[in-house]
Amino acid sequence: EVKYFADNGQKLPAWYTKPAADDGKIILFFHGNSHNIESFYHKLQPLAQAGYGVFLPEFRGFGGQPGKITEANLTADALKAVDYLHKLGYSNDRIVLYGMSLGSNLAVHTAAALGQQQPFAGLILEVPFDSLYNVAAGHVWFPLPLSWLIHDRYDNLAKIAEVNTSLLVMAAQNDTLVPVSHARRLYAHAAEPREMIVYYDAGHNDLYAHANYNDILNWLKK
């Protein structure tokens, strides 16, 4: 466990495993809207065992950390996580961004904001949405003023075209929380090189049970 600092000076925990090689790549994982980093480390274990470094930052409002869960806070924390890796000596071309569900927005935002001059080594989006607003709208069957109620849009679709690194999109056909159509729209608006894998028997939270880490490892080798 290490500590990195939010932009307000708050200390935040992260789990860090160095890559096996001195010049190896590190995978920066942004988790979804539940639990904490401990709940997701198993997803990174096969990647660490294959020699990649892993970095799992916790965010304000998650895992017992003080602070509010807002789009501004989460995206700022994501940028600070990259800043911490930069200080450890990792350049963007050694950092693979990996975002799951809500974390997909942090990964897309980070890739767009910090990857223009030096692209990241890659971007992995697992069960991503095109925007959180559209996810909410898809689950409401009666009229509500959602534009008034939802202030944080977490709009991936607005930023995906700004990403200039290799992209892997992983979606679940039986996802009842974020329909696979969201991932397909994101993929359609993304630049090459890009790849998309749909797990036809999977749901939102069980891509690991379908060994998606093997597909990640194969993609990283390419």
Side-chain angles (χ1 to χ4, degrees):
E1 183 177 337
V2 296
K3 301 287 185 180
Y4 75 105
F5 288 91
D7 55 7
N8 66 352
Q10 178 180 333
K11 269 187 179 180
L12 292 169
W15 287 4
Y16 169 47
T17 301
K18 292 181 180 179
D22 290 339
D23 60 349
K25 291 183 172 61
I26 188 164
I27 297 166
L28 171 52
F29 181 78
F30 301 123
H31 71 70
N33 186 34
S34 61
H35 308 292
N36 53 39
I37 53 178
E38 185 176 358
S39 302
F40 296 93
Y41 183 69
H42 67 281
K43 293 175 65 66
L44 282 297
Q45 284 181 317
L47 309 182
Q49 291 163 0
Y52 292 94
V54 297
F55 190 78
L56 289 81
E58 194 55 277
F59 313 116
R60 281 175 279 183
F62 286 98
Q65 301 304 311
K68 292 184 177 180
I69 298 174
T70 66
E71 183 175 3
N73 282 351
L74 293 181
T75 52
D77 291 350
L79 298 182
K80 282 296 188 179
V82 174
D83 182 60
Y84 180 84
L85 291 181
H86 286 167
K87 290 176 180 176
L88 291 182
Y90 297 97
S91 52
N92 283 0
D93 60 356
R94 292 181 60 198
I95 301 172
V96 177
L97 304 173
Y98 180 176
M100 176 185 176
S101 193
L102 181 65
S104 69
N105 180 259
L106 309 187
V108 170
H109 176 85
T110 300
L114 299 182
Q116 297 306 313
Q117 293 185 346
Q118 184 184 47
F120 287 90
L123 173 63
I124 302 168
L125 302 179
E126 180 175 331
V127 291
F129 48 76
D130 55 12
S131 78
L132 193 62
Y133 177 89
N134 288 340
V135 173
H139 287 276
V140 175
W141 56 270
F142 51 89
L144 274 180
L146 289 179
S147 59
W148 289 12
L149 296 174
I150 301 176
H151 300 290
D152 287 349
R153 301 297 181 98
Y154 297 93
D155 195 342
N156 284 334
L157 199 59
K159 292 183 178 292
I160 192 66
E162 301 174 31
V163 173
N164 61 348
T165 188
S166 299
L167 172 66
L168 173 62
V169 178
M170 315 183 91
Q173 183 67 34
N174 295 333
D175 194 332
T176 57
L177 181 61
V178 181
V180 68
S181 57
H182 285 250
R184 294 191 189 281
R185 277 192 292 272
L186 273 183
Y187 180 79
H189 284 80
E192 298 285 358
R194 58 185 180 169
E195 182 176 338
M196 182 169 177
I197 302 173
V198 178
Y199 297 83
Y200 284 91
D201 296 324
H204 189 74
N205 290 307
D206 63 353
L207 264 59
Y208 178 84
H210 292 263
N212 73 316
Y213 47 86
N214 284 330
D215 292 319
I216 292 173
L217 288 171
N218 289 333
W219 178 78
L220 288 170
K221 289 176 183 177
K222 291 186 291 184

